[in-house]
Amino acid sequence: MNKILCPVDFSEASINALEFAAAIAKKHQSKLTLVYVFTESDFNKIVGEEAYGKSFKELLALASTKLSSLSETIAKSLSSTSAHCDYRVELGELTDQLKSMVNNEHYDYILMGTTGVSRTNGIYFGSQTEEVIEKINVPVMCIPEVASFTGFTNLVYASDYAEEDKLAIQDVISFATFFDSRISVLHINQNDSDVAYLQFIEELKSFIQYSKISFVHKEFKGAVELGIEEYMSAEKADLLVLFKPHRNFVAGIFHKSLTKTLAYSIDKPLLVLKLEA
């Protein structure tokens, strides 16, 4: 995780995510880049009266000043390490600009704040976050606006016994090692075969070299995502990890109706891993 990209739009959600971004950059000794993808109408909404009467050029300069200040604050918190923070202001659409930076400058991780969820509309990801996850082939960590950074002591990886899990869990271990995290590999059992579970676990154990990992086969008759939520809450987990290429599991979670259900009480970060990465 050498280069981390963190989109900032000066909303409370994106500002909240900066604490997570700085902590991860510090642990991984990474380059952290804050990027604001500027559109005049969106910036006017955010800064309110500050934008009144200013030209496009002046607004662009104001955005750059605000981002520079945030970058300097984070840089100071990283000053005792080899990690560092810089910033960029770009014009255009968010996903297009992030994709260009990832592809051309080899950023290998995106961390972004999300606006959270209400029981009125049930939306957790938001359209822009969903589009970033769908179209950019690097891991994406989504930080809900209501999340508070307390470290990454307990991680949950939601598994469906897919072959890709064997690769994904190695990535989870790589992340966990920096924080000395405990990992729970969780499968929600809805009348699955215990034989398949035991075979899968034996295969994983044969090549996993990490002492703080456990395998959980949880019986749950309701929706899978509610079973995950219940386990996350009971274990006081700090991070949920999913692997997007799962067609029969994660693809389902990304379906809007299931996303709504998962979102009702998830107030912890979500890390989406990618097969392409």
Side-chain angles (χ1 to χ4, degrees), residues 244-255:
K244 189 177 184 301
H246 293 179
R247 301 305 175 192
N248 58 340
F249 176 63
V250 177
I253 284 181
F254 277 77
H255 187 278

Side-chain angles (χ1 to χ4, degrees), residues 45 62-63 81-82 92 135 150 154 158 177 195 222 241 259:
K45 292 176 186 176
L62 179 58
T81 73
S82 60
K135 294 185 177 181
T150 56
N154 298 318
T177 299
V195 174
V241 187
T259 302

Side-chain angles (χ1 to χ4, degrees), residues 41-258:
S41 59
D42 288 343
F43 190 65
N44 285 345
K45 292 176 186 176
I46 293 165
V47 300
E49 292 182 0
E50 281 188 80
Y52 184 75
K54 288 184 170 61
S55 67
F56 179 84
K57 186 176 181 179
E58 289 172 325
L59 289 174
L60 195 60
L62 179 58
S64 182
T65 298
K66 285 179 171 291
L67 199 57
S68 174
S69 177
L70 289 174
S71 178
E72 287 177 7
T73 299
I74 292 175
K76 287 178 183 177
S77 73
L78 301 176
S79 60
S80 62
T81 73
S82 60
H84 65 283
C85 181
D86 61 12
Y87 71 95
R88 298 263 292 273
V89 176
E90 301 287 348
L91 303 178
E93 296 299 321
L94 176 66
T95 302
D96 291 343
Q97 291 299 326
L98 295 182
K99 187 173 184 177
S100 176
M101 293 179 72
V102 165
N103 292 343
N104 297 328
E105 302 173 49
H106 308 294
Y107 284 90
D108 48 23
Y109 197 89
I110 293 174
L111 185 148
M112 60 193 302
T114 58
T115 54
V117 58
S118 73
R119 290 189 181 272
T120 303
N121 56 35
I123 297 172
Y124 172 58
F125 291 120
S127 59
Q128 283 193 323
T129 308
E130 239 180 316
E131 187 175 56
V132 168
I133 291 169
E134 183 63 33
K135 294 185 177 181
I136 303 179
N137 291 330
V138 295
V140 179
M141 183 180 286
C142 312
I143 310 296
E145 184 177 3
V146 295
S148 299
F149 181 74
T150 56
F152 294 107
T153 304
N154 298 318
L155 314 185
V156 173
Y157 176 76
S159 167
D160 195 34
Y161 303 162
E163 192 67 24
E164 298 97 331
D165 282 330
K166 297 172 185 178
L167 297 174
I169 289 171
Q170 294 296 333
D171 287 345
V172 179
I173 290 172
S174 295
F175 182 90
T177 299
F178 284 92
F179 293 92
D180 194 29
S181 310
R182 181 167 62 87
I183 303 170
S184 297
V185 179
L186 172 67
H187 178 72
I188 301 299
N189 184 1
Q190 295 181 306
N191 302 313
D192 295 335
S193 166
D194 286 340
V195 174
Y197 165 72
L198 293 172
Q199 181 180 348
F200 178 75
I201 296 309
E202 286 306 311
E203 290 176 1
L204 281 176
K205 286 181 177 178
S206 67
F207 63 85
I208 285 178
Q209 302 296 321
Y210 190 71
S211 61
K212 302 179 74 171
I213 189 168
S214 59
F215 300 91
V216 183
H217 196 58
K218 180 178 173 61
E219 299 281 347
F220 195 82
K221 301 303 181 185
V224 171
E225 58 275 11
L226 291 179
I228 295 171
E229 174 204 318
E230 182 180 277
Y231 183 81
M232 291 277 293
S233 177
E235 294 297 310
K236 296 181 172 56
D238 305 298
L239 177 68
L240 173 62
V241 187
L242 302 176
F243 195 37
K244 189 177 184 301
H246 293 179
R247 301 305 175 192
N248 58 340
F249 176 63
V250 177
I253 284 181
F254 277 77
H255 187 278
K256 290 186 183 299
S257 61
L258 294 182

Side-chain angles (χ1 to χ4, degrees), residues 21-30 77-78 80-81 83:
I24 293 171
K26 190 172 185 177
K27 283 289 187 180
H28 286 259
Q29 303 294 291
S30 306
S77 73
L78 301 176
S80 62
T81 73

